[in-house]
Amino acid sequence: MSKYLSRRFDDMRAYTPGEQPQDRSYIKLNTNESPFPPAPGVLDALSRDEAGRLNLYPDPDTRVASAALAASFGLTPERMILGNGSDEILAFCFLAFCDPETPAVFADITYGFYEVFARVFCVPSRVVPLDDQLRIDPKRFCPAGGTLFLANPNAPTGQALELGAIEDILRENPRHVVVIDEAYAAFGAQSVIPLIARYENLVVVQTMSKSRNLAGARIGYAVGNPALISDLNQMKFSFNPYNVNRLSLLAAAAAVRDTGYYETCVGAIKATRAATAGELARRGFTVLPSAANFLFARPNFMGGEAYYLALKERGVLVRHFRRARIDAYVRITIGTEDQMRALLIATDAIMRESA
Ligand code: PMP
């Protein structure tokens, strides 16, 4: 780091995104993208004419896209804010709802960005361990004693909490904001969006990166009661009022209309997930039950990092986390059937060689 970097960041560690090789020679199962293209309606919306209007700023109030999204949930737009990916929305939540007296509270094994945001925004954090089966124990968050960030399903484990368990947490934390990060909920968890009318402390964060096949467009959003959304807008307008670009706003509005297409894609991913989990279990892997578009699996024939490296050598990229409690595991994004077949063929070769 340079001698000029603020001392505030002395102990900061930036988030490390999954590898994004540009040569496209890998089977990429490492960043939980969808293997399928965006819906046809999205491609139609991104016309040459629209690109020709990129000399103009986008609507800072994101009105058309927000109205379309809000209507899809039966909500009014003042309960909704859009962000440049849900990472940005989560950043606004850390800025708005945490301070020296209000720590960020999150699980020891969860989305790595929570820890990074806590540090970069200089707010204290309280880390709550998962149970010995790597599940969130709701009782450990009742009360949480700060602003709670819960990924449901959790990442990178893929395990989900029931709606009732989250409702208990909401009820037990009336004086604190509870942020439920539903990045992967469309693949098998129950969304708590229906609870926002009843719990004024609830913020639900979702993304179009996974189940809407739009990771490259960077579209995330939060829903919650209008006062909390107004707080988040204060952050947005103090940071980057034009946070969602013109083309992404068009993509977002179009993606909302094409629900049938996405249901088909999500259905395919769930079916492939079940088949892959079975194949890995048959090969002796421990596979955690997944409600997400990835599997968290532990080979029994070598360590997690060695397996990740051996797969990479064979052109298959998965994600390994060098972290206590989970370093024997890898996270495998569910791709197409062909991609998963390639993963299994590579795995069989690795198993033969290591036998
Ligand atoms: N939450 C979780 C749990 C995630 O895994 C991710 C993806 N890395 C995000 C949020 C952020 O996704 P995006 O910024 O693409 O919306």
Side-chain angles (χ1 to χ4, degrees), residues 15 32 84-88 90 111 114 151 153 155 181 183-184 206-210 215 218-220 331:
Y15 179 71
N32 298 341
N84 191 337
S86 57
D87 282 336
E88 188 185 52
L90 290 165
Y111 184 34
Y114 303 158
D181 177 351
Y184 303 103
Q206 294 192 345
T207 177
M208 293 201 169
S209 295
K210 322 287 180 183
R218 312 298 300 122
I219 303 158
R331 191 195 68 192

Side-chain angles (χ1 to χ4, degrees), residues 83-254:
N84 191 337
S86 57
D87 282 336
E88 188 185 52
I89 295 287
L90 290 165
F92 293 156
C93 291
F94 275 79
L95 268 170
F97 305 128
C98 299
D99 58 43
E101 282 76 49
T102 317
V105 182
F106 44 85
D108 61 340
I109 310 293
T110 189
Y111 184 34
F113 231 133
Y114 303 158
E115 191 183 353
V116 174
F117 282 142
R119 288 213 201 177
V120 78
F121 295 130
C122 300
V123 295
S125 50
R126 192 167 89 76
V127 174
V128 179
L130 298 185
D131 72 12
D132 54 10
Q133 301 194 48
L134 300 178
R135 289 175 312 202
I136 287 169
D137 177 357
K139 288 196 293 299
R140 296 183 187 177
F141 295 94
C142 294
T147 301
L148 180 52
F149 291 85
L150 269 187
N152 192 51
N154 197 15
T157 62
Q159 309 201 81
L161 283 177
E162 302 286 325
L163 187 116
I166 297 178
E167 193 159 9
D168 290 344
I169 292 172
L170 287 163
R171 213 181 293 111
E172 295 293 323
N173 288 281
R175 297 218 314 276
H176 286 120
V177 173
V178 175
V179 178
I180 303 295
D181 177 351
E182 295 190 345
Y184 303 103
F187 300 100
Q190 223 178 330
S191 173
V192 289
I193 287 181
L195 299 185
I196 60 168
R198 254 184 295 145
Y199 295 93
E200 63 171 25
N201 56 335
L202 171 61
V203 173
V204 185
V205 178
Q206 294 192 345
T207 177
M208 293 201 169
S209 295
K210 322 287 180 183
S211 59
R212 300 274 169 172
N213 313 3
L214 281 170
R218 312 298 300 122
I219 303 158
Y221 50 94
V223 298
N225 92 66
L228 291 183
I229 296 301
S230 161
D231 296 339
L232 294 175
N233 269 311
Q234 288 291 311
M235 302 302 114
K236 161 181 153 157
F237 282 92
S238 304
F239 178 75
N240 185 9
Y242 303 110
N243 62 336
V244 188
N245 72 72
R246 295 183 74 92
L247 297 181
S248 293
L249 286 176
L250 291 167

